[in-house]
Amino acid sequence: MRILLAFFLAAAPVFSAPNTAVESRIQKILNRMTLSEKLGQLQQLGGPIEGSSQLMDLARHGKIGATLNVRGAKNLNALQRAAVEGSRLKIPILFGFDVIHGYRTIFPIPLAMASSWDPSLIEKVSRLAAQEATLDGLRWTFSPMVDITRDPRWGRVAEGAGEDPFLGAAMARAYVRGYQGENLSAPDSLAACAKHWVGYGAAEGGRDYSTTEISERTLREIYFPPFKAALDAGALTLMSAFNDLDGVPSSANPFTLTKVLRGEWKFPGFVVSDSNAISELIQHGIAANGAEAAQRALTAGVDMEMHSRLYEENLPTLIKSGLVAQSTVDEAVRRILRVKIALGLFKQPYADETRTSHTPDAAARKMARWAAVRSMVLLKNDGKTLPFSKNLKRVAVIGPLANDTAAELGSWIGNGRLEETITLLAGVRAALPNAKVIFASGCAMSGDSDAGFAKAVRAAQSSDAVVLALGEAGDMTGEATSRAFLNLPGPQINLAKAVLAVGKPTAVVLLNGRPLTLSTLTQRAPAILEAWQPGTEAGNAIADILFGNASPGGKLPMTFPFTLGQVPLYYNHKNTGRPAKDDDHYTSKYIDAPVTPLFPFGWGLSYTSTRLSNLTLSPQKITPDQKTIVHVFVENTGNRLGDEVVELYIRRRAASVTRPVAELKGFQRVTLKPGEKRQLKFDLGPKELGFYGLDMKYAVEPGEYEITVGTSSVGGLTAPLSVSN
Ligand code: BGC
């Protein structure tokens, strides 16, 4: 018998569960609102306010509910004054902005933050980001992006937590807690917006904005969990995505926006459309004109319209003709007012103009440096090439990105400043004040010129060690940056070959925002550090690792394919009827490439070594509604302080539907002294063991489960778990 897990389906509403006093206050406001004022609340617009009276005018007439891209306490207060003192009903405006990985202090990109496998760190950095952003008058960020993605061609992989729903959910929770803080109405609480609901990361061909086809089971098991986690953590808002989802675009999809979000999950907050996503329903081909687009989006459950103004233009007629019910508009307004009340905007609509975000202070820089150190992944380290000695006399820093602040920050840099960013070159220089540090860029990021190679080779020849910085330019990841190739752009691989041929101890430092195909580089380079786009303190953090002040301990949140043709390649794939076998031709593999990745999900080395032992489950037999406790020992068997991320996976071999070959269901990052041995404990219960069976109900099916605890998604210790009624 399958035990249904109702508690997992119907979560408690998050921020203040519908509270009668608040609801009656909202109703009173609604009773006084004209249709035009109601539609004003549904409108989000952006743009500069200096020299433009448009936003001011709209504010004065109660015709704008929220803004984006307007910043600065002074600017925003002026606009707020127009709304609160100048408009009839005095409803405050909600000020939004993309605070994605920091506001003034820029932290590693979200994909890098996920590589830290450290939710408490993410909570801390997003708290700091909220404090900085609210100083500039903002109260709403369009973050976290919790889209699961299995295709590194999609440039927005940089903005998410990678390919796994469990890791993604942990990160989603941490961002929301950090942004919103403990008290939503505190002036430094920044409302979170989980985006992009939903399936956007599954864009066909990895092409941004492209179509998606996702089964309901995969939606529920892979794409929904990070959103659910964000809402359970109290996220006030969601953003509806650009993608066509099985023929019904996400910004007009009643199944996802109403049935799941409001029906099953009881989400009390509001949904904002992505930028122009409502008017794009016309291009999608489900609306002949703006009126139809507005009707489809609003009735499906999109409450606020970003940029386009189709609600405002068309809803009066749509209501008059009965095509949209007045109650649908009222409900959308209600959700928006609920969020504004929760944020305390009616009580305190203004920001403190005497304070503004400022150049990162020592504490912010320390946090940025630590976050960057924690997020780096040591992919390869043959012969203990790293860490380098701090006593090196001459070091060559080579590569087109070694002195490039934009590459170190990545996309969506908020109010971050290039000039406040420490480059890799500056970081190495600061770490080795007595050494001669020679810099050669070697090549450009595009074209095929090798004109700079000779100088780079000479720099390598004359040095004791080489740091080779390669990767992607700052504008090669983020929105609308899909790539058809995943190699190092331009002549970088040839530069690497020339420099590595010199034979000096060389560490490649990768600055990039997505998994790349690195098989040639990996064959030749003795050491590779995946630094991602590390943010304001990039260079110092990289130097901390290169010269051994810190040991790397991050792990990959996304598979690195061996070659492009394997994509999409992800660890939690299905087994197929013919799993790959070397000695069996008719199995699921390639005739011209391996079927395995270059670096698997969960992979990462450190400067020490660890060993896992004594995996035990108690009890080993449970009923579907019970839990078992998994214990395992992890020991630092090397002679340096170091981190290990211990990862727990489950596998169900025979079930009512096919299951992935591995599913992450627990992880812990620990720091161990040399020789230190610690016992770790993981809970495994209905929430972790359940899945959507043949009947599409979430349940634990009796049967045999394999529990694997390892240090990546490959290998580890395994023990059986038996579930029976
Ligand atoms: C992006 C969103 C972003 C919005 C507002 C859109 O183009 O898809 O992620 O939050 O712009 O800047």
Side-chain angles (χ1 to χ4, degrees):
M1 189 191 97
R2 308 181 84 236
I3 306 285
L4 300 185
L5 304 174
F7 68 88
F8 190 74
L9 295 170
V14 283
F15 66 97
S16 63
N19 157 324
T20 18
V22 171
E23 296 306 306
S24 73
R25 180 166 170 205
I26 293 173
Q27 192 54 49
K28 273 190 199 133
I29 303 175
L30 262 172
N31 292 345
R32 296 182 57 210
M33 290 174 92
T34 62
L35 180 59
S36 150
E37 284 163 340
K38 288 178 183 173
L39 299 183
Q41 288 305 307
L42 311 190
Q43 184 69 59
Q44 181 185 44
L45 287 171
I49 66 162
E50 304 96 333
S52 141
S53 57
Q54 195 211 14
L55 288 184
M56 284 293 199
D57 257 13
L58 291 171
R60 248 176 248 122
H61 292 97
K63 290 180 122 182
I64 182 163
T67 63
L68 77 162
N69 298 337
V70 186
R71 285 188 284 141
K74 255 199 170 117
N75 279 341
L76 293 176
N77 279 351
L79 201 52
Q80 193 71 298
R81 222 166 282 123
V84 170
E85 289 161 36
S87 79
R88 203 176 68 90
L89 293 177
K90 310 184 184 320
I91 300 175
I93 299 172
L94 177 56
F95 300 125
F97 188 66
D98 291 278
V99 180
I100 307 297
H101 50 117
Y103 181 67
R104 182 68 181 255
T105 308
I106 303 303
F107 296 105
I109 52 167
L111 188 65
M113 290 304 308
S115 307
S116 73
W117 294 58
D118 184 353
S120 66
L121 175 70
I122 279 128
E123 194 171 329
K124 283 185 201 121
V125 306
S126 39
R127 186 82 291 268
L128 190 98
Q131 282 158 352
E132 291 187 343
T134 50
L135 281 179
D136 277 359
L138 301 163
R139 290 301 304 278
W140 183 25
T141 175
F142 311 120
S143 173
M145 187 189 100
V146 300
D147 293 311
I148 295 296
T149 170
R150 295 169 155 179
D151 193 332
R153 290 173 295 182
W154 192 52
R156 302 199 79 168
V157 303
E159 297 175 53
E163 73 191 33
D164 183 67
F166 187 88
L167 182 64
M171 298 299 149
R173 261 191 300 274
Y175 278 109
V176 173
R177 286 199 193 125
Y179 289 137
Q180 296 192 170
E182 279 169 14
N183 176 5
L184 288 175
S185 62
D188 68 351
S189 171
L190 191 65
C193 180
K195 70 185 190 186
H196 306 82
W197 180 247
V198 57
Y200 181 40
E204 272 183 7
R207 223 170 53 249
D208 207 359
Y209 318 119
S210 182
T211 302
T212 65
E213 292 276 346
I214 310 172
S215 73
E216 185 179 341
R217 180 171 290 102
T218 302
L219 267 180
R220 288 187 182 275
E221 291 188 352
I222 304 292
Y223 292 90
F224 285 179
F227 286 94
K228 182 65 168 50
L231 297 190
D232 287 347
L236 295 170
T237 72
L238 245 79
M239 186 183 290
S240 70
F242 289 127
N243 56 303
D244 176 0
L245 176 62
D246 301 344
V248 187
S250 285
S251 287
N253 194 309
F255 168 66
T256 56
L257 290 160
T258 294
K259 183 171 184 293
V260 174
L261 206 55
R262 275 68 182 242
E264 296 177 20
W265 296 356
K266 316 282 181 235
F267 173 54
F270 73 83
V271 175
V272 61
S273 77
D274 203 339
S275 181
N276 288 320
I278 298 181
S279 68
E280 287 168 18
L281 296 176
I282 300 170
Q283 278 85 277
H284 272 298
I286 63 154
N289 49 43
E292 285 184 20
Q295 181 193 359
R296 299 247 354 214
L298 186 77
T299 52
V302 179
D303 306 301
M304 184 181 277
E305 179 172 11
M306 188 192 290
H307 281 314
S308 52
R309 300 177 73 171
L310 301 179
Y311 281 2
E312 182 199 22
E313 285 162 21
N314 297 291
L315 281 166
T317 315
L318 288 167
I319 292 170
K320 222 177 261 159
S321 57
L323 288 168
V324 170
Q326 176 67 53
S327 58
T328 309
V329 172
D330 288 357
E331 186 52 30
V333 176
R334 208 172 266 127
R335 291 167 182 154
I336 291 164
L337 294 180
R338 203 175 283 141
V339 167
K340 291 185 175 183
I341 290 171
L343 285 170
L345 287 179
F346 283 86
K347 278 197 195 124
Q348 182 43 283
Y350 301 113
D352 178 354
E353 278 182 35
T354 63
R355 304 172 67 207
T356 53
S357 73
H358 48 78
T359 181
D361 59 18
R365 282 197 174 274
K366 194 171 163 204
M367 195 186 288
R369 185 167 176 166
W370 183 233
V373 163
R374 299 273 290 173
S375 66
M376 291 183 197
V377 185
L378 185 63
L379 296 176
K380 180 178 179 190
N381 193 21
D382 277 4
K384 297 200 172 166
T385 305
L386 285 175
F388 287 147
S389 157
K390 286 177 207 156
N391 301 320
L392 293 171
K393 296 271 173 307
R394 284 176 73 88
V395 177
V397 173
I398 297 172
L401 300 177
N403 201 26
D404 178 336
T405 45
E408 270 138 356
L409 296 184
S411 64
W412 298 112
I413 62 167
N415 196 26
R417 307 285 159 92
L418 294 179
E419 65 277 14
E420 289 171 356
T421 304
I422 312 287
T423 67
L424 191 161
L425 178 62
V428 171
R429 289 205 160 121
L432 303 179
N434 301 319
K436 174 107 181 115
V437 177
I438 318 161
F439 170 58
S441 70
C443 67
M445 287 300 292
S446 56
D448 55 8
S449 168
D450 60 3
F453 286 17
K455 187 177 165 207
V457 166
R458 277 199 304 279
Q461 282 164 341
S462 68
S463 298
D464 308 322
V466 178
V467 179
L468 183 55
L470 306 171
E472 296 175 295
D475 59 2
M476 285 181 180
T477 52
E479 190 174 346
T481 57
S482 296
R483 292 185 59 196
F485 298 96
L486 293 173
N487 54 343
L488 291 163
Q492 291 187 93
I493 191 65
N494 291 333
L495 172 69
K497 285 180 187 167
V499 170
L500 288 163
V502 174
K504 290 293 166 82
T506 301
V508 172
V509 176
L510 294 170
L511 296 161
N512 53 304
R514 53 154 69 76
L516 297 172
T517 48
L518 302 168
S519 54
T520 307
L521 185 73
T522 305
Q523 273 163 21
R524 295 176 189 228
I528 305 178
L529 177 68
E530 177 54 85
W532 304 113
Q533 290 158 329
T536 302
E537 279 287 311
N540 287 333
I542 292 168
D544 283 342
I545 289 186
L546 291 179
F547 303 106
N549 289 335
S551 173
K555 304 267 181 154
L556 294 179
M558 231 184 138
T559 304
F560 273 46
F562 181 87
T563 187
L564 177 63
Q566 296 177 313
V567 167
L569 188 69
Y570 47 93
Y571 87 94
N572 49 355
H573 60 83
K574 300 291 183 70
N575 201 36
T576 81
R578 294 186 177 193
K581 264 198 212 137
D582 286 344
D583 58 358
D584 189 345
H585 184 71
Y586 292 99
T587 57
S588 183
K589 59 190 181 188
Y590 299 100
I591 57 169
D592 54 358
V595 72
T596 47
L598 182 63
F599 297 112
F601 173 83
W603 173 261
L605 304 169
S606 79
Y607 291 159
T608 190
S609 53
T610 58
R611 192 160 53 93
L612 299 177
S613 59
N614 280 42
L615 173 66
T616 58
L617 268 63
S618 60
Q620 287 173 320
K621 288 190 172 139
I622 56 172
T623 57
D625 54 355
Q626 283 179 334
K627 69 173 185 181
T628 185
I629 311 286
V630 180
H631 280 108
V632 71
F633 281 93
V634 55
E635 181 181 1
N636 183 345
T637 52
N639 50 17
R640 295 181 61 106
L641 181 81
D643 285 14
E644 184 57 272
V645 180
V646 179
E647 306 165 28
L648 183 150
Y649 296 89
I650 67 165
R651 179 168 188 181
R652 178 68 210 254
R653 283 192 189 264
S656 66
V657 292
T658 60
R659 302 303 307 154
V661 296
E663 292 176 80
L664 182 75
K665 294 294 176 181
F667 63 86
Q668 288 180 47
R669 180 168 177 164
V670 291
T671 302
L672 299 169
K673 296 194 199 86
E676 186 180 345
K677 188 172 179 178
R678 203 181 301 167
Q679 192 179 34
L680 305 182
K681 170 180 168 279
F682 298 88
D683 285 359
L684 265 189
K687 218 171 152 188
E688 291 78 25
L689 297 170
F691 55 88
Y692 289 86
L694 201 55
D695 55 4
M696 274 308 293
K697 302 254 164 60
Y698 192 87
V700 178
E701 287 185 3
E704 303 307 310
Y705 292 74
E706 273 170 29
I707 311 304
T708 300
V709 177
T711 55
S712 85
S713 58
V714 174
L717 306 172
T718 297
L721 172 69
S722 184
V723 179
S724 57
N725 286 309

